[in-house]
PDB file of all heavy atoms in Angstrom:
ATOM      1  N   ALA C 260      13.438  23.736  11.487  1.00  0.00           N
ATOM      2  CA  ALA C 260      12.275  23.116  12.134  1.00  0.00           C
ATOM      3  C   ALA C 260      12.643  22.630  13.526  1.00  0.00           C
ATOM      4  O   ALA C 260      11.875  22.815  14.490  1.00  0.00           O
ATOM      5  CB  ALA C 260      11.757  21.960  11.276  1.00  0.00           C
ATOM      6  N   TRP C 261      13.809  21.996  13.669  1.00  0.00           N
ATOM      7  CA  TRP C 261      14.229  21.528  14.987  1.00  0.00           C
ATOM      8  C   TRP C 261      14.526  22.699  15.922  1.00  0.00           C
ATOM      9  O   TRP C 261      14.235  22.629  17.124  1.00  0.00           O
ATOM     10  CB  TRP C 261      15.459  20.629  14.867  1.00  0.00           C
ATOM     11  CG  TRP C 261      15.143  19.254  14.390  1.00  0.00           C
ATOM     12  CD1 TRP C 261      15.580  18.650  13.241  1.00  0.00           C
ATOM     13  CD2 TRP C 261      14.304  18.284  15.042  1.00  0.00           C
ATOM     14  NE1 TRP C 261      15.067  17.379  13.136  1.00  0.00           N
ATOM     15  CE2 TRP C 261      14.287  17.120  14.227  1.00  0.00           C
ATOM     16  CE3 TRP C 261      13.572  18.287  16.218  1.00  0.00           C
ATOM     17  CZ2 TRP C 261      13.566  15.972  14.570  1.00  0.00           C
ATOM     18  CZ3 TRP C 261      12.852  17.147  16.558  1.00  0.00           C
ATOM     19  CH2 TRP C 261      12.854  16.019  15.743  1.00  0.00           C
ATOM     20  N   ILE C 262      15.089  23.771  15.385  1.00  0.00           N
ATOM     21  CA  ILE C 262      15.327  24.960  16.212  1.00  0.00           C
ATOM     22  C   ILE C 262      13.993  25.535  16.702  1.00  0.00           C
ATOM     23  O   ILE C 262      13.848  25.909  17.863  1.00  0.00           O
ATOM     24  CB  ILE C 262      16.122  26.017  15.427  1.00  0.00           C
ATOM     25  CG1 ILE C 262      17.556  25.532  15.200  1.00  0.00           C
ATOM     26  CG2 ILE C 262      16.133  27.359  16.154  1.00  0.00           C
ATOM     27  CD1 ILE C 262      18.367  26.421  14.277  1.00  0.00           C
ATOM     28  N   ALA C 263      13.017  25.601  15.793  1.00  0.00           N
ATOM     29  CA  ALA C 263      11.693  26.111  16.175  1.00  0.00           C
ATOM     30  C   ALA C 263      11.055  25.222  17.237  1.00  0.00           C
ATOM     31  O   ALA C 263      10.421  25.720  18.183  1.00  0.00           O
ATOM     32  CB  ALA C 263      10.790  26.195  14.943  1.00  0.00           C
ATOM     33  N   GLY C 264      11.229  23.897  17.095  1.00  0.00           N
ATOM     34  CA  GLY C 264      10.698  22.989  18.107  1.00  0.00           C
ATOM     35  C   GLY C 264      11.340  23.210  19.459  1.00  0.00           C
ATOM     36  O   GLY C 264      10.670  23.190  20.503  1.00  0.00           O
ATOM     37  N   THR C 265      12.669  23.441  19.455  1.00  0.00           N
ATOM     38  CA  THR C 265      13.376  23.728  20.708  1.00  0.00           C
ATOM     39  C   THR C 265      12.879  25.037  21.322  1.00  0.00           C
ATOM     40  O   THR C 265      12.678  25.133  22.541  1.00  0.00           O
ATOM     41  CB  THR C 265      14.891  23.821  20.447  1.00  0.00           C
ATOM     42  OG1 THR C 265      15.354  22.587  19.888  1.00  0.00           O
ATOM     43  CG2 THR C 265      15.644  24.112  21.728  1.00  0.00           C
ATOM     44  N   ALA C 266      12.682  26.042  20.469  1.00  0.00           N
ATOM     45  CA  ALA C 266      12.188  27.333  20.949  1.00  0.00           C
ATOM     46  C   ALA C 266      10.801  27.194  21.559  1.00  0.00           C
ATOM     47  O   ALA C 266      10.509  27.771  22.620  1.00  0.00           O
ATOM     48  CB  ALA C 266      12.168  28.340  19.803  1.00  0.00           C
ATOM     49  N   TRP C 267       9.935  26.422  20.890  1.00  0.00           N
ATOM     50  CA  TRP C 267       8.562  26.251  21.387  1.00  0.00           C
ATOM     51  C   TRP C 267       8.574  25.525  22.731  1.00  0.00           C
ATOM     52  O   TRP C 267       7.861  25.900  23.661  1.00  0.00           O
ATOM     53  CB  TRP C 267       7.734  25.471  20.372  1.00  0.00           C
ATOM     54  CG  TRP C 267       6.260  25.752  20.457  1.00  0.00           C
ATOM     55  CD1 TRP C 267       5.452  25.540  21.537  1.00  0.00           C
ATOM     56  CD2 TRP C 267       5.426  26.320  19.447  1.00  0.00           C
ATOM     57  NE1 TRP C 267       4.161  25.915  21.261  1.00  0.00           N
ATOM     58  CE2 TRP C 267       4.117  26.400  19.973  1.00  0.00           C
ATOM     59  CE3 TRP C 267       5.650  26.730  18.133  1.00  0.00           C
ATOM     60  CZ2 TRP C 267       3.044  26.885  19.230  1.00  0.00           C
ATOM     61  CZ3 TRP C 267       4.576  27.224  17.398  1.00  0.00           C
ATOM     62  CH2 TRP C 267       3.301  27.298  17.941  1.00  0.00           C
ATOM     63  N   ALA C 268       9.408  24.476  22.822  1.00  0.00           N
ATOM     64  CA  ALA C 268       9.505  23.741  24.081  1.00  0.00           C
ATOM     65  C   ALA C 268      10.057  24.633  25.187  1.00  0.00           C
ATOM     66  O   ALA C 268       9.568  24.615  26.330  1.00  0.00           O
ATOM     67  CB  ALA C 268      10.398  22.513  23.904  1.00  0.00           C
ATOM     68  N   GLY C 269      11.090  25.433  24.860  1.00  0.00           N
ATOM     69  CA  GLY C 269      11.671  26.324  25.856  1.00  0.00           C
ATOM     70  C   GLY C 269      10.689  27.381  26.329  1.00  0.00           C
ATOM     71  O   GLY C 269      10.592  27.668  27.530  1.00  0.00           O
ATOM     72  N   ALA C 270       9.931  27.965  25.390  1.00  0.00           N
ATOM     73  CA  ALA C 270       8.942  28.977  25.764  1.00  0.00           C
ATOM     74  C   ALA C 270       7.845  28.384  26.632  1.00  0.00           C
ATOM     75  O   ALA C 270       7.374  29.013  27.590  1.00  0.00           O
ATOM     76  CB  ALA C 270       8.343  29.601  24.500  1.00  0.00           C
ATOM     77  N   THR C 271       7.440  27.146  26.315  1.00  0.00           N
ATOM     78  CA  THR C 271       6.426  26.476  27.135  1.00  0.00           C
ATOM     79  C   THR C 271       6.949  26.226  28.543  1.00  0.00           C
ATOM     80  O   THR C 271       6.233  26.437  29.536  1.00  0.00           O
ATOM     81  CB  THR C 271       6.021  25.137  26.481  1.00  0.00           C
ATOM     82  OG1 THR C 271       5.508  25.390  25.164  1.00  0.00           O
ATOM     83  CG2 THR C 271       4.957  24.433  27.307  1.00  0.00           C
ATOM     84  N   ALA C 272       8.206  25.776  28.644  1.00  0.00           N
ATOM     85  CA  ALA C 272       8.800  25.519  29.959  1.00  0.00           C
ATOM     86  C   ALA C 272       8.913  26.795  30.782  1.00  0.00           C
ATOM     87  O   ALA C 272       8.626  26.804  31.987  1.00  0.00           O
ATOM     88  CB  ALA C 272      10.176  24.874  29.783  1.00  0.00           C
ATOM     89  N   ILE C 273       9.319  27.879  30.145  1.00  0.00           N
ATOM     90  CA  ILE C 273       9.445  29.152  30.868  1.00  0.00           C
ATOM     91  C   ILE C 273       8.078  29.648  31.318  1.00  0.00           C
ATOM     92  O   ILE C 273       7.915  30.147  32.447  1.00  0.00           O
ATOM     93  CB  ILE C 273      10.145  30.197  29.978  1.00  0.00           C
ATOM     94  CG1 ILE C 273      11.617  29.825  29.783  1.00  0.00           C
ATOM     95  CG2 ILE C 273      10.034  31.595  30.595  1.00  0.00           C
ATOM     96  CD1 ILE C 273      12.347  30.712  28.796  1.00  0.00           C
ATOM     97  N   THR C 274       7.074  29.495  30.450  1.00  0.00           N
ATOM     98  CA  THR C 274       5.720  29.921  30.817  1.00  0.00           C
ATOM     99  C   THR C 274       5.184  29.091  31.976  1.00  0.00           C
ATOM    100  O   THR C 274       4.489  29.613  32.868  1.00  0.00           O
ATOM    101  CB  THR C 274       4.787  29.815  29.600  1.00  0.00           C
ATOM    102  OG1 THR C 274       5.342  30.543  28.508  1.00  0.00           O
ATOM    103  CG2 THR C 274       3.408  30.392  29.918  1.00  0.00           C
ATOM    104  N   LEU C 275       5.515  27.792  31.976  1.00  0.00           N
ATOM    105  CA  LEU C 275       5.121  26.943  33.098  1.00  0.00           C
ATOM    106  C   LEU C 275       5.811  27.397  34.382  1.00  0.00           C
ATOM    107  O   LEU C 275       5.170  27.489  35.443  1.00  0.00           O
ATOM    108  CB  LEU C 275       5.478  25.490  32.793  1.00  0.00           C
ATOM    109  CG  LEU C 275       5.296  24.490  33.947  1.00  0.00           C
ATOM    110  CD1 LEU C 275       3.840  24.424  34.386  1.00  0.00           C
ATOM    111  CD2 LEU C 275       5.808  23.112  33.542  1.00  0.00           C
ATOM    112  N   TRP C 276       7.101  27.646  34.307  1.00  0.00           N
ATOM    113  CA  TRP C 276       7.860  28.130  35.471  1.00  0.00           C
ATOM    114  C   TRP C 276       7.262  29.430  35.996  1.00  0.00           C
ATOM    115  O   TRP C 276       7.085  29.617  37.210  1.00  0.00           O
ATOM    116  CB  TRP C 276       9.319  28.329  35.054  1.00  0.00           C
ATOM    117  CG  TRP C 276      10.231  28.847  36.125  1.00  0.00           C
ATOM    118  CD1 TRP C 276      10.240  28.500  37.440  1.00  0.00           C
ATOM    119  CD2 TRP C 276      11.269  29.810  35.964  1.00  0.00           C
ATOM    120  NE1 TRP C 276      11.231  29.185  38.114  1.00  0.00           N
ATOM    121  CE2 TRP C 276      11.881  29.992  37.228  1.00  0.00           C
ATOM    122  CE3 TRP C 276      11.759  30.524  34.876  1.00  0.00           C
ATOM    123  CZ2 TRP C 276      12.941  30.876  37.435  1.00  0.00           C
ATOM    124  CZ3 TRP C 276      12.830  31.398  35.066  1.00  0.00           C
ATOM    125  CH2 TRP C 276      13.398  31.564  36.333  1.00  0.00           C
ATOM    126  N   GLN C 277       6.921  30.323  35.089  1.00  0.00           N
ATOM    127  CA  GLN C 277       6.323  31.603  35.474  1.00  0.00           C
ATOM    128  C   GLN C 277       4.996  31.391  36.189  1.00  0.00           C
ATOM    129  O   GLN C 277       4.724  32.023  37.222  1.00  0.00           O
ATOM    130  CB  GLN C 277       6.119  32.468  34.231  1.00  0.00           C
ATOM    131  CG  GLN C 277       5.513  33.843  34.516  1.00  0.00           C
ATOM    132  CD  GLN C 277       5.304  34.645  33.250  1.00  0.00           C
ATOM    133  OE1 GLN C 277       5.387  34.100  32.141  1.00  0.00           O
ATOM    134  NE2 GLN C 277       5.049  35.925  33.392  1.00  0.00           N
ATOM    135  N   ALA C 278       4.175  30.497  35.661  1.00  0.00           N
ATOM    136  CA  ALA C 278       2.878  30.237  36.289  1.00  0.00           C
ATOM    137  C   ALA C 278       3.051  29.643  37.679  1.00  0.00           C
ATOM    138  O   ALA C 278       2.357  30.025  38.633  1.00  0.00           O
ATOM    139  CB  ALA C 278       2.056  29.311  35.402  1.00  0.00           C
ATOM    140  N   LEU C 279       3.971  28.681  37.809  1.00  0.00           N
ATOM    141  CA  LEU C 279       4.189  28.040  39.105  1.00  0.00           C
ATOM    142  C   LEU C 279       4.755  29.018  40.133  1.00  0.00           C
ATOM    143  O   LEU C 279       4.602  28.799  41.348  1.00  0.00           O
ATOM    144  CB  LEU C 279       5.141  26.850  38.936  1.00  0.00           C
ATOM    145  CG  LEU C 279       4.575  25.660  38.146  1.00  0.00           C
ATOM    146  CD1 LEU C 279       5.642  24.602  37.934  1.00  0.00           C
ATOM    147  CD2 LEU C 279       3.362  25.069  38.859  1.00  0.00           C
ATOM    148  N   ARG C 280       5.399  30.081  39.683  1.00  0.00           N
ATOM    149  CA  ARG C 280       5.898  31.129  40.584  1.00  0.00           C
ATOM    150  C   ARG C 280       4.782  32.079  41.012  1.00  0.00           C
ATOM    151  O   ARG C 280       5.013  32.995  41.806  1.00  0.00           O
ATOM    152  CB  ARG C 280       7.006  31.926  39.897  1.00  0.00           C
ATOM    153  CG  ARG C 280       8.324  31.176  39.759  1.00  0.00           C
ATOM    154  CD  ARG C 280       9.277  31.926  38.837  1.00  0.00           C
ATOM    155  NE  ARG C 280       9.558  33.273  39.324  1.00  0.00           N
ATOM    156  CZ  ARG C 280      10.556  33.597  40.144  1.00  0.00           C
ATOM    157  NH1 ARG C 280      11.379  32.639  40.574  1.00  0.00           N
ATOM    158  NH2 ARG C 280      10.756  34.841  40.521  1.00  0.00           N
ATOM    159  N   GLY C 281       3.580  31.872  40.446  1.00  0.00           N
ATOM    160  CA  GLY C 281       2.454  32.741  40.793  1.00  0.00           C
ATOM    161  C   GLY C 281       2.483  34.072  40.082  1.00  0.00           C
ATOM    162  O   GLY C 281       1.869  35.040  40.544  1.00  0.00           O
ATOM    163  N   GLU C 282       3.168  34.135  38.929  1.00  0.00           N
ATOM    164  CA  GLU C 282       3.292  35.389  38.190  1.00  0.00           C
ATOM    165  C   GLU C 282       2.333  35.416  37.011  1.00  0.00           C
ATOM    166  O   GLU C 282       2.170  34.422  36.296  1.00  0.00           O
ATOM    167  CB  GLU C 282       4.716  35.562  37.665  1.00  0.00           C
ATOM    168  CG  GLU C 282       5.781  35.586  38.736  1.00  0.00           C
ATOM    169  CD  GLU C 282       7.173  35.598  38.141  1.00  0.00           C
ATOM    170  OE1 GLU C 282       7.299  35.780  36.912  1.00  0.00           O
ATOM    171  OE2 GLU C 282       8.144  35.417  38.896  1.00  0.00           O
ATOM    172  N   SER C 283       1.728  36.563  36.788  1.00  0.00           N
ATOM    173  CA  SER C 283       0.862  36.732  35.632  1.00  0.00           C
ATOM    174  C   SER C 283       1.680  36.663  34.353  1.00  0.00           C
ATOM    175  O   SER C 283       2.848  37.064  34.314  1.00  0.00           O
ATOM    176  CB  SER C 283       0.138  38.081  35.705  1.00  0.00           C
ATOM    177  OG  SER C 283      -0.480  38.389  34.461  1.00  0.00           O
ATOM    178  N   ILE C 284       1.062  36.183  33.293  1.00  0.00           N
ATOM    179  CA  ILE C 284       1.720  36.070  32.000  1.00  0.00           C
ATOM    180  C   ILE C 284       2.172  37.423  31.484  1.00  0.00           C
ATOM    181  O   ILE C 284       3.139  37.523  30.702  1.00  0.00           O
ATOM    182  CB  ILE C 284       0.755  35.403  30.986  1.00  0.00           C
ATOM    183  CG1 ILE C 284       1.483  35.038  29.694  1.00  0.00           C
ATOM    184  CG2 ILE C 284      -0.441  36.293  30.695  1.00  0.00           C
ATOM    185  CD1 ILE C 284       2.420  33.887  29.813  1.00  0.00           C
ATOM    186  N   ILE C 285       1.530  38.510  31.934  1.00  0.00           N
ATOM    187  CA  ILE C 285       1.886  39.847  31.444  1.00  0.00           C
ATOM    188  C   ILE C 285       2.806  40.588  32.405  1.00  0.00           C
ATOM    189  O   ILE C 285       3.149  41.743  32.147  1.00  0.00           O
ATOM    190  CB  ILE C 285       0.617  40.694  31.196  1.00  0.00           C
ATOM    191  CG1 ILE C 285      -0.135  40.934  32.514  1.00  0.00           C
ATOM    192  CG2 ILE C 285      -0.280  40.037  30.160  1.00  0.00           C
ATOM    193  CD1 ILE C 285      -1.288  41.907  32.381  1.00  0.00           C
ATOM    194  N   ALA C 286       3.208  39.941  33.496  1.00  0.00           N
ATOM    195  CA  ALA C 286       4.063  40.617  34.483  1.00  0.00           C
ATOM    196  C   ALA C 286       5.192  39.683  34.915  1.00  0.00           C
ATOM    197  O   ALA C 286       5.249  39.250  36.069  1.00  0.00           O
ATOM    198  CB  ALA C 286       3.240  41.069  35.682  1.00  0.00           C
ATOM    199  N   PRO C 287       6.122  39.358  34.006  1.00  0.00           N
ATOM    200  CA  PRO C 287       7.210  38.448  34.366  1.00  0.00           C
ATOM    201  C   PRO C 287       8.202  39.097  35.329  1.00  0.00           C
ATOM    202  O   PRO C 287       8.473  40.298  35.236  1.00  0.00           O
ATOM    203  CB  PRO C 287       7.876  38.150  33.015  1.00  0.00           C
ATOM    204  CG  PRO C 287       7.571  39.350  32.178  1.00  0.00           C
ATOM    205  CD  PRO C 287       6.201  39.787  32.602  1.00  0.00           C
TER     206      PRO C 287
END
Side-chain angles (χ1 to χ4, degrees):
W261 283 118
I262 291 172
T265 301
W267 206 300
T271 301
I273 291 174
T274 306
L275 172 62
W276 179 40
Q277 181 181 13
L279 292 175
R280 287 169 59 90
E282 300 173 10
S283 167
I284 190 72
I285 64 172

